[in-house]
Short mmCIF file of all heavy atoms in Angstrom, two decimals:
data_model
loop_
_atom_site.label_atom_id
_atom_site.label_comp_id
_atom_site.label_asym_id
_atom_site.label_seq_id
_atom_site.Cartn_x
_atom_site.Cartn_y
_atom_site.Cartn_z
N MET A 1 -5.33 -13.23 -17.54
CA MET A 1 -6.74 -12.91 -17.46
C MET A 1 -7.14 -12.11 -18.69
O MET A 1 -6.35 -11.39 -19.24
CB MET A 1 -7.01 -12.06 -16.22
CG MET A 1 -7.08 -12.84 -14.97
SD MET A 1 -7.44 -11.82 -13.55
CE MET A 1 -5.92 -10.94 -13.39
N ARG A 8 -13.43 -3.29 -15.60
CA ARG A 8 -14.35 -2.50 -14.74
C ARG A 8 -13.98 -2.60 -13.26
O ARG A 8 -13.93 -1.59 -12.57
CB ARG A 8 -15.79 -2.97 -14.93
CG ARG A 8 -16.41 -2.42 -16.16
CD ARG A 8 -17.90 -2.73 -16.17
NE ARG A 8 -18.30 -2.88 -17.55
CZ ARG A 8 -18.89 -3.93 -18.06
NH1 ARG A 8 -19.19 -4.95 -17.30
NH2 ARG A 8 -19.20 -3.98 -19.32
N VAL A 28 -2.01 13.92 6.65
CA VAL A 28 -0.66 14.40 6.94
C VAL A 28 -0.59 15.91 6.79
O VAL A 28 0.01 16.60 7.62
CB VAL A 28 0.38 13.70 6.02
CG1 VAL A 28 1.74 14.36 6.10
CG2 VAL A 28 0.48 12.22 6.37
N ALA A 37 -6.44 15.06 11.70
CA ALA A 37 -6.64 14.27 10.49
C ALA A 37 -8.07 13.76 10.46
O ALA A 37 -8.72 13.65 11.50
CB ALA A 37 -5.66 13.10 10.48
N PRO A 38 -8.59 13.40 9.28
CA PRO A 38 -9.97 12.90 9.22
C PRO A 38 -10.15 11.52 9.85
O PRO A 38 -11.27 11.07 10.05
CB PRO A 38 -10.28 12.86 7.72
CG PRO A 38 -8.96 12.85 7.05
CD PRO A 38 -7.99 13.54 7.96
N GLY A 54 -1.54 -0.18 -6.00
CA GLY A 54 -2.32 0.06 -7.21
C GLY A 54 -1.53 -0.27 -8.46
O GLY A 54 -2.05 -0.89 -9.39
N GLY A 70 -3.13 -11.38 -5.47
CA GLY A 70 -2.42 -11.01 -4.25
C GLY A 70 -2.64 -9.54 -3.90
O GLY A 70 -2.91 -9.20 -2.74
N GLY A 76 -8.13 -5.74 0.01
CA GLY A 76 -9.34 -6.15 0.70
C GLY A 76 -9.15 -6.33 2.20
O GLY A 76 -9.98 -5.91 3.00
N VAL A 77 -8.03 -6.93 2.58
CA VAL A 77 -7.74 -7.11 4.01
C VAL A 77 -7.54 -5.75 4.68
O VAL A 77 -8.03 -5.51 5.79
CB VAL A 77 -6.51 -8.02 4.20
CG1 VAL A 77 -6.00 -7.98 5.63
CG2 VAL A 77 -6.84 -9.44 3.79
N ILE A 83 -12.46 -0.93 8.35
CA ILE A 83 -13.89 -0.92 8.70
C ILE A 83 -14.07 -1.43 10.13
O ILE A 83 -14.80 -0.84 10.92
CB ILE A 83 -14.71 -1.75 7.69
CG1 ILE A 83 -14.72 -1.07 6.32
CG2 ILE A 83 -16.13 -1.96 8.20
CD1 ILE A 83 -15.26 -1.93 5.21
N TRP A 99 -16.77 11.96 9.61
CA TRP A 99 -15.52 11.45 9.08
C TRP A 99 -15.34 9.97 9.39
O TRP A 99 -14.75 9.22 8.59
CB TRP A 99 -14.34 12.25 9.60
CG TRP A 99 -14.30 13.60 8.95
CD1 TRP A 99 -14.57 14.80 9.53
CD2 TRP A 99 -14.05 13.87 7.57
NE1 TRP A 99 -14.49 15.80 8.61
CE2 TRP A 99 -14.17 15.26 7.39
CE3 TRP A 99 -13.74 13.09 6.48
CZ2 TRP A 99 -13.97 15.87 6.16
CZ3 TRP A 99 -13.55 13.69 5.25
CH2 TRP A 99 -13.66 15.06 5.10
N CYS A 118 -11.60 -10.50 -6.66
CA CYS A 118 -11.25 -11.91 -6.42
C CYS A 118 -12.15 -12.84 -7.21
O CYS A 118 -11.68 -13.82 -7.80
CB CYS A 118 -11.32 -12.22 -4.93
SG CYS A 118 -9.93 -11.59 -3.99
N LEU A 122 -10.55 -15.10 -10.15
CA LEU A 122 -10.57 -16.56 -10.07
C LEU A 122 -11.33 -17.18 -11.24
O LEU A 122 -11.04 -18.30 -11.65
CB LEU A 122 -11.19 -17.01 -8.75
CG LEU A 122 -10.34 -16.71 -7.51
CD1 LEU A 122 -11.15 -17.01 -6.25
CD2 LEU A 122 -9.05 -17.52 -7.54
N GLY A 125 -10.38 -16.09 -17.66
CA GLY A 125 -9.58 -16.99 -18.48
C GLY A 125 -8.11 -16.68 -18.38
O GLY A 125 -7.68 -15.90 -17.53
#
Side-chain angles (χ1 to χ4, degrees):
M1 281 182 289
R8 281 190 211 124
V28 169
V77 168
I83 292 169
W99 288 110
C118 283
L122 291 171

